[in-house]
């Protein structure tokens, strides 16, 4: 039987669950009774204060989530309007066509005889640069 006092990397999931159950049982058995009512009241007040802070933080987090969702939604709507303003109807189809055309042109350029093209173009460019 494996040593459950210190579960290690070789412990199985069942061993770890059994160890956690033992620790929980020990923690429940170690519950203690306080004899100081003022300390109990202070602890209760701290607990209520922390719970109130937790609820306030949850509310703030909820507001932040809603605001971030609104910002993302507005940015997407702006991008869509901008694309329609610049490219007209079906802007995403036009962008996809442009990307496809760029890909095809790049593949054709890859297979083109670059040395022959440069040999023909360089003298023309240099003659225009001298004027």
């Amino acid at each position: 039987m494996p040593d459950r006092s210190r579960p290690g990397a070789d412990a199985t999931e069942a061993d770890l669950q059994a160890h956690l159950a033992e620790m929980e049982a020990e923690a429940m058995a170690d519950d203690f009774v306080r004899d100081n009512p003022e300390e109990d009241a202070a602890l209760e007040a701290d607990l209520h204060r922390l719970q109130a802070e937790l609820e306030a933080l949850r509310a703030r987090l909820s507001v932040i989530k809603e605001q971030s969702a609104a910002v993302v939604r507005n940015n997407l709507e702006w991008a869509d309007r901008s694309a329609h303003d610049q490219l007209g109807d079906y802007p995403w189809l036009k962008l996809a066509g442009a990307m496809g055309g760029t890909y095809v042109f790049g593949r054709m350029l890859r297979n083109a005889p670059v040395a022959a093209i440069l040999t023909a173009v360089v003298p023309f460019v240099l003659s225009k640069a001298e004027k």
Side-chain angles (χ1 to χ4, degrees), residues 48-115:
H48 290 298
R49 183 182 50 79
L50 290 174
Q51 287 173 338
E53 285 182 26
L54 183 60
E55 287 303 315
L57 289 173
R58 284 184 178 147
R60 288 177 59 193
L61 182 59
S62 174
V63 168
I64 290 170
K65 283 181 181 179
E66 290 172 9
Q67 289 174 343
S68 64
V71 166
V72 168
R73 190 173 38 257
N74 288 339
N75 284 341
L76 289 175
E77 289 171 1
W78 172 83
D80 190 50
R81 280 193 313 273
S82 177
H84 280 282
D85 290 346
Q86 293 176 19
L87 299 173
D89 294 333
Y90 307 107
W92 307 115
L93 180 61
K94 291 177 181 177
L95 284 173
M99 289 170 45
T102 302
Y103 174 77
V104 169
F105 179 73
R107 294 296 273 181
M108 288 175 33
L109 190 60
R110 178 185 280 177
N111 295 331
V114 177

Side-chain angles (χ1 to χ4, degrees), residues 16-39:
L16 291 174
Q17 291 301 327
H19 179 69
L20 288 174
E22 287 176 13
M23 289 178 59
E24 184 178 354
E26 288 174 11
M28 294 173 99
D30 290 342
D31 285 345
F32 53 92
V33 177
R34 294 191 183 273
D35 293 330
N36 189 345
E38 289 111 21
E39 189 175 315

